[in-house]
Amino acid sequence: HATIRNMHRREGKRKKPKSRLRQAIEQHRRDAAAGSNLSNITAMLANFEMRIEALRTQIRIDDREIGELEKQLIPLRKKRDEMLEETKDLKEFVRHFDKNIGPFNDSYDNLQKGLKDRYEVAKGKHAAGIQLLVDVYDYHPAFKRWDDSFTATPFKPQ
């Protein structure tokens, strides 16, 4: 029964109409809350606008720096192209070296071998000539005697 009574009481209780003062206070509170939210939103927008402007300034600076770097790259690119061309020419030279210079290199090696052989023959003939001087003129290659009629400086090829 208690629950039924409470229901009747609740139904019977009607809300009192709010006074104009109370309504004005509630409206003022709602407006203040909305104003506070509006102030926060305005501050956020101002902050975003400042960030955007800072980014635009940085982009302008970066664009100028890119232009300066591009100006510095022009001679470097030219130098790179020259070096690539030189490298290409040198590779071409190396490729044709064996064909053009190889036979001369081989003939030089043969010439050196021929000179070495001739020198060995000359050394032998020189030794034979010294021996002839010893036999015929009684020449002593290590020292000169006071009565030697033959004058020469001793030399032995290596």
Side-chain angles (χ1 to χ4, degrees), residues 3 31 57 96 144:
T3 1
D31 290 347
T57 301
H96 290 294
K144 180 179 175 175

Side-chain angles (χ1 to χ4, degrees), residues 108-125:
Y108 178 75
D109 290 342
N110 291 336
L111 177 66
Q112 272 188 319
K113 186 180 179 301
L115 286 174
K116 185 176 180 182
D117 293 344
R118 286 188 189 115
Y119 186 70
E120 291 299 323
V121 169
K123 280 180 17 180
K125 288 188 178 189

Side-chain angles (χ1 to χ4, degrees), residues 84-95:
L84 287 173
E85 185 66 29
E86 184 180 358
T87 302
K88 181 180 145 192
D89 292 344
L90 290 173
K91 284 181 180 178
E92 184 71 18
F93 172 77
V94 167
R95 196 165 53 91

Side-chain angles (χ1 to χ4, degrees), residues 16-99:
K16 289 185 189 176
K18 293 183 183 176
S19 68
R20 285 182 168 220
L21 180 59
R22 188 171 272 314
Q23 288 176 352
I25 291 172
E26 287 179 4
Q27 183 64 40
H28 181 66
R29 282 183 188 157
R30 285 191 300 268
D31 290 347
S36 174
N37 287 341
L38 187 61
S39 294
N40 288 341
I41 291 171
T42 304
M44 285 173 47
L45 287 174
N47 188 16
F48 287 143
E49 286 176 359
M50 288 189 322
R51 284 184 182 175
I52 289 171
E53 188 55 38
L55 289 173
R56 284 183 180 147
T57 301
Q58 189 61 44
I59 288 170
R60 283 193 296 273
I61 290 170
D62 289 347
D63 285 343
R64 268 187 298 213
E65 289 175 353
I66 287 172
E68 291 174 15
L69 289 174
E70 286 293 332
K71 288 178 187 174
Q72 292 176 4
L73 279 176
I74 290 171
L76 293 175
R77 286 181 179 142
K78 184 178 178 183
K79 179 79 172 173
R80 180 197 62 196
D81 292 344
E82 289 171 358
M83 291 174 82
L84 287 173
E85 185 66 29
E86 184 180 358
T87 302
K88 181 180 145 192
D89 292 344
L90 290 173
K91 284 181 180 178
E92 184 71 18
F93 172 77
V94 167
R95 196 165 53 91
H96 290 294
F97 179 81
D98 283 338
K99 184 172 76 174

